[in-house]
Amino acid sequence: MTQQKLTSQFLDVTYVNNKTGDEIVALKNINLSIEDGEFICIVGPSGCGKTTFLNTVMGFIKPSNGTILLDDTKIEGPGRDRSMVFQSPNLLPWRSVLDNVMYGIELQKRVSKETKALALQYIELVGLKGFEKSYPHELSGGMQQRVNLARALSVEPSLLLLDEPFSALDAQTREFMQKELLRIWSQTRKTSIFITHQIDEAVYLADRVFVFGARPGHLVEDIKIELERPRELKVKRDARFTEYVDRIWDLIEKESSKQGFS
Amino acid sequence: MSKEEAIPMKNETSEQKKVNRPKKISKSQKNFMISVVSVLAFLIFWEIISYLQIINPLFISSPIGIIQAAGILFTDVSFWTNIRVSAYEFAVGFLLAIIIGIPMGIFAGWNHTFNSIINPFVSALYVTPKVALLPIIIIAFGIGVASKIVIVFLMAFFPIVMSATKAMSTLDQNLIKTARSFTATEFQIFKTIALPSTVPFLLNGIRLGLGQGLIAIVVGEMYASTAGIGYQLTNAGQNLKTAEMFVGVIVIAGTGVVLTGLVGLIEKRFSSWKPE
Ligand SMILES: Nc1ncnc2c1ncn2[C@@H]1O[C@H](COP(=O)(O)OP(=O)(O)OP(=O)(O)O)[C@@H](O)[C@H]1O
Ligand SMILES: [Mg+2]
C-alpha cells in the first residue's frame, strides 16, 4: 500500500455568524485520504464547501470536529509544508516577477543563493523565462497566474492547494494553462488538490475526482480517472473522457436539485 | 506588439521588448512648452494692463515693478530674517506633523481599538477651520515663533493622519491572505504589504499638509507676529507697497511649488513600477 499523504477523518466545519450567532455547517463528516503524488480535483455545486475544505487543509480554519493529518501530523495552522494558488493572482504590484516568486521564500525566512536559484528555476518551469524583471501589470492574466503558481511551487511544499486558479481566464488560455499545469506537475509530482467548477478540467487533470454535495457539504463520490498519462488535450474527445464527464455531471445535477435550484 | 497580448511560449525571448520608436518631441516636452508660453503671455498681459493704467498699478503692481522690488528686498537683511523665521516655524511644525501624524494614522488603521479612541477627535478637528483657534493659540503660546509652530502643526497634522489611516483601510485582504498562507507574521505583513501600499496615500497626505501648513504660516503671522514672511507681506500690503507684497506672495508660492515638486519626485521614486 502506498503512503497516505493527507487524511481527513470525521471532519466537520461550522461557521458561526458573528452578529447573529447562527451556525452554518459547511462541511459534515468528510472522510477521505490522498496518496503521495496524487493529483486530486474537487468539484461540486457552488457553496458546497470546496473552498472551506481547502482553507481547512491550509490551516486557515479550525475544524469543529475531526482532524486532518498531513504526513501523519495534525494540521493546526498554516505551515511551510503547504502552499496555495489562489483564484486571483494576488501579486504584489510593486514587485517584479522574480521578487514576487521570492515572496513566499522571503516570508519563510529562507532567502539564500540556493532558494533564489530555485525561484529562477520555477520561473523557467512555468514558462516565464525572460520576464523576471517585469512587473505584474505588464503581464497578461494567464502570465500572472503562472507567477502565482511559481511562487507557490518555489517554497517546495509537500502539498499544493489550488482554488479555481484558472477560472478568471478566457477559454483558450485556460485550456493552454491546463496543459501547462500537467506538464509542470509531471516534472514535480507534487501532491495537489485542485478545485474547479469545470468538470472537463477536473477529468483532464485528476487522478481522482472528489464530487462534493451541499447542505451540508459532504463527499458524494470519489471517482478514479483511469486515463493514461501524459495526457494530450485531445484526450478530451476520447469516449472514456466523455463518460467520466457525463457521470460527474449527473452526480452534480442530482446534488444541485436537492438544493432546490436546477 | 505588447507583451500583454502574448501567451508566452517556453522560449519566448525578450526581443519583443526592444521596439525602437522614431524620435519625436515627447508629449511632456510639448506640454511644458505650452505652459511656458501661457505664463509668459500672462506676464506680458499683466505688464500692459498696469502700464496703460487700465487697472490702478497701486493694486496690481506689475511684473517689472515686482522684479525691481525683489532686487531691493533681496539685499535687505530684514527680509532674510523674515524668511528664516518663517522657514523655521514651518519646518518645525510640519516635521512634527509628519513624525507624529504618520505613525499615529498608520497605527489607527492597523488597530481598531486605537482608531475608536482617536477617530472622534481627528474627524471633528479635521473639518474644524484651525485658524479659528488662532486667538487662543496666540494667548497660550504668545505672538512669537511658538504659536506659529502650533498652528502649522495643527493644520498639517490632520490631513496627514487621515490619509495614513485611510491608506491602511484600503489594504488588499487577498494579499494579506496570501502572505498568511506563507506563514507570515503580523510584522512581515506590515512591512511587506501595509507599508508599501500606503506610500502613495502618505505622500498625498503630506502634499495636502504642505498646502495647509503654508496657509497656516501666512495667516498666523498676519494675525499677530513681529517677524516672518507673512508679517512682511501684511506690512507691505498695508503700506500700499504692492510690489513688495507680491514678492512675499511669490516667495510663498514658490516654496509651495518646490516642496510639492519634491513630494512628486519621491512619489515617482516609489512608483517606478506603475503603468504610465
Ligand atoms: N467566512 C464565512 N462565514 C460564514 N459562512 C461562510 C463563510 N465562508 C463560507 N461560508 C458558507 O459555507 C458554505 C461553503 O462555502 P464555500 O466557500 O466553501 O463554498 P464553495 O464550494 O467554495 O463555493 P464556490 O464554488 O461558490 O466557490 C456556504 O454556504 C457559505 O455560505
Ligand atoms: Mg470556492
Side-chain angles (χ1 to χ4, degrees), chain B residues 81-141:
Chain B
T81 315
N82 283 331
I83 288 206
R84 207 162 339 112
V85 169
S86 291
Y88 175 75
E89 293 164 345
F90 180 78
V92 175
F94 194 70
L95 283 180
L96 279 175
I98 290 181
I99 292 169
I100 303 174
I102 289 182
M104 197 162 156
I106 286 183
F107 190 62
W110 191 250
N111 183 302
H112 292 289
T113 316
F114 183 66
N115 190 32
S116 310
I117 296 171
I118 68 160
N119 187 41
F121 304 101
V122 172
S123 305
L125 282 165
Y126 179 70
V127 292
T128 310
K130 265 70 66 183
V131 285
L133 302 173
L134 262 177
I136 315 171
I137 294 172
I138 301 285
I139 291 170
F141 295 93

Side-chain angles (χ1 to χ4, degrees), chain A residues 51 55 58 60 78-80 82-84 86 88-95 103-109 124-125 127-131 134-135 137-140 143 146 151-152 155 172-173 176 180 183 187, chain B residues 2-14 16-17 171-185 187-198 200 270-276:
Chain A
T51 298
N55 279 336
M58 192 64 227
F60 284 146
R80 292 184 177 187
R82 281 149 291 151
S83 61
M84 187 125 151
F86 296 88
S88 50
N90 299 353
L91 305 177
L92 301 178
W94 49 84
R95 286 189 180 217
Y103 188 51
I105 292 169
E106 193 184 308
L107 290 175
Q108 297 183 353
K109 303 194 178 83
E124 184 170 359
L125 184 66
L128 284 181
K129 195 170 161 67
F131 289 89
S134 302
Y135 285 92
H137 71 84
E138 300 172 300
L139 307 177
S140 68
M143 292 159 88
R146 289 158 185 266
R151 176 177 61 192
V155 296
Q172 244 176 341
T173 314
F176 182 75
E180 283 286 280
R183 175 182 67 76
Q187 289 185 36
Chain B
S2 88
K3 276 190 286 165
E4 274 145 313
E5 290 157 7
I7 297 166
M9 296 302 156
K10 252 171 85 186
N11 43 11
E12 194 169 34
T13 61
S14 52
Q16 44 174 276
K17 287 187 205 165
L171 288 187
D172 184 347
Q173 292 304 318
N174 279 328
L175 289 184
I176 294 180
K177 197 172 172 196
T178 306
R180 292 231 155 89
S181 78
F182 293 110
T183 68
T185 61
F187 179 71
Q188 283 178 319
I189 292 174
F190 184 76
K191 203 181 92 183
T192 59
I193 298 174
L195 272 187
S197 18
T198 52
F270 275 100
S271 56
S272 55
W273 55 271
K274 267 194 188 149
E276 304 257 309

Side-chain angles (χ1 to χ4, degrees), chain B residues 31-72:
Chain B
N31 289 340
F32 180 73
M33 292 305 288
I34 295 175
S35 302
V36 168
V37 171
S38 151
V39 170
L40 284 178
F42 170 75
L43 290 176
I44 291 167
F45 179 69
W46 185 356
E47 188 65 45
I48 291 171
I49 291 208
S50 174
Y51 183 77
L52 300 177
Q53 311 236 346
I54 297 173
I55 300 175
N56 189 345
L58 204 52
F59 302 147
I60 61 165
S61 185
S62 76
I64 292 175
I66 293 170
I67 291 170
Q68 285 165 344
I72 298 167

Side-chain angles (χ1 to χ4, degrees), chain A residues 6 152 171 262:
Chain A
L6 185 93
S262 47

